[in-house]
Amino acid sequence: MSAPISTSDCLAKAKLRGYSPPQYRTAYNLDPLYRVGITGKGRTIVIVDSYGSRSTTPTAVR
């Protein structure tokens, strides 16, 4: 698996902002959780973000 493309490349290629794992780690202040062993490993999460969507019709997520 290759590394995610940079935020600037994502913006240039797809006209959308994309963030790398380290950027999320900083933005959401995850270091305190990692220090006590909470990593989220083995868990599934869903991030729903309606902002920036090119679609005007909501789609069900299963």
Side-chain angles (χ1 to χ4, degrees):
M1 177 176 253
S2 63
I5 64 173
S6 69
T7 301
S8 58
D9 284 347
C10 188
L11 188 57
K13 292 176 183 178
K15 305 295 186 251
L16 297 170
R17 297 191 186 282
Y19 300 99
S20 68
Q23 288 173 310
Y24 276 106
R25 184 176 182 156
T26 300
Y28 289 98
N29 191 29
L30 299 177
D31 285 331
L33 295 174
Y34 294 148
R35 279 195 289 274
V36 296
I38 299 172
T39 64
K41 184 175 181 178
R43 302 287 183 185
T44 300
I45 65 165
V46 175
I47 299 172
V48 178
D49 177 11
S50 62
Y51 297 99
S53 173
R54 293 181 181 168
S55 172
T56 57
T57 306
T59 304
V61 178
R62 295 177 187 216

